[in-house]
Amino acid sequence: MSITRRKFLIIGSVTAAAIALPPFISLKAFAANNNRTVTADVSLLVNGTQHQLNMDTRTSLLDALREHLMLTGTKKGCDHGQCGACTVLVDGRRVNSCLSLAVMHEGSKVTTVEGLGSPESLHPMQAAFIKHDGYQCGYCTPGQICSAVAVLDEIRSGVPSHVTANLMETPQLIAREFQERMSGNICRCGAYSNIIEAMTEVAEMPA
């Protein structure tokens, strides 16, 4: 049975419409779901100040800090947890805030770069970064500093890394450990050696 050009075009049109239909249905479902926003009350202790926030349950910790509390020191870089620019301290541990929902941290103690020190009273790590020029454009610096502070605490607490030679002993405060543990914080300006120098200086200070 031969197919005329007219029949071929009709069959092609019907097939194309059938294939395209599911995405349109999905878009309608997405729009309907998007209008059903669910909010929650979240209590966070940020830089020593208690905050009660009501927000969309999908709000990341990063957006809660930047958009709700106006703490813009924490930067939004890749938004995929790959660059480390959004690193903050949650209950003393470093966290990529772009990958963590704010509602997951109900009652947590959050420290951003603003909470580490002030221009009048710098944290030793902030002062060391300035002294050793551990920044250039400065965009990644808040995350680098928060991560660097946490790294020293990790090592002093005996938490091993991939390069720790002896798991039965406390890791050493050495460049090799710093480099491995800071590998999740990217500096596109290439100030890595200066950052290690800053961390080394702080590591040699009395704990």
Side-chain angles (χ1 to χ4, degrees):
M1 175 181 172
S2 61
I3 299 178
T4 64
R5 182 172 181 274
R6 177 183 173 78
K7 287 184 178 180
F8 177 79
L9 291 175
I10 291 173
I11 293 172
S13 298
V14 172
T15 303
I19 294 174
L21 191 58
F24 286 119
I25 294 176
S26 297
L27 288 174
K28 286 183 179 180
F30 173 78
N33 185 62
N34 202 39
N35 291 329
R36 297 167 57 189
T37 302
V38 179
T39 62
D41 293 321
V42 183
S43 176
L44 296 173
L45 180 64
V46 183
N47 299 333
T49 301
Q50 193 71 45
H51 295 276
Q52 300 291 335
L53 304 174
N54 181 270
M55 64 185 75
D56 189 318
T57 54
R58 298 166 295 181
T59 304
S60 67
L61 178 58
L62 173 60
D63 286 338
L65 294 171
R66 289 181 58 84
E67 306 299 332
H68 291 259
L69 298 180
M70 301 298 127
L71 293 170
T72 55
T74 305
K75 301 300 185 232
K76 178 175 286 194
C78 66
D79 215 22
H80 288 80
Q82 298 175 348
C83 72
C86 68
T87 304
V88 297
L89 305 180
V90 178
D91 295 327
R93 300 181 65 180
R94 51 190 172 142
V95 168
N96 286 333
S97 59
C98 74
L99 293 183
S100 190
L101 296 176
V103 294
M104 296 167 58
H105 300 292
E106 167 68 29
S108 293
K109 177 182 177 182
V110 181
T111 304
T112 70
V113 69
E114 293 96 336
L116 288 177
S118 65
E120 298 76 23
S121 180
L122 293 174
H123 184 281
M125 191 65 74
Q126 292 172 317
F129 264 64
I130 294 172
K131 177 181 176 180
H132 293 278
D133 194 21
Y135 59 91
Q136 288 185 36
C137 78
Y139 194 84
C140 73
T141 305
Q144 296 274 7
I145 290 176
C146 285
S147 194
V149 170
V151 162
L152 298 190
D153 288 341
E154 289 171 8
I155 295 175
R156 287 169 176 152
S157 297
V159 179
S161 76
H162 181 68
V163 299
T164 302
N166 190 340
L167 299 182
M168 302 302 293
E169 297 179 359
T170 301
Q172 296 179 295
L173 291 163
I174 57 176
R176 187 183 180 194
E177 286 281 358
F178 300 160
Q179 291 164 346
E180 168 63 21
R181 294 168 192 262
M182 293 292 291
S183 60
N185 290 81
I186 297 173
C187 174
R188 291 174 175 84
C189 300
Y192 296 114
S193 61
N194 297 356
I195 291 171
I196 298 303
E197 289 176 4
M199 293 179 66
T200 300
E201 177 174 309
V202 177
E204 292 175 349
M205 296 178 180

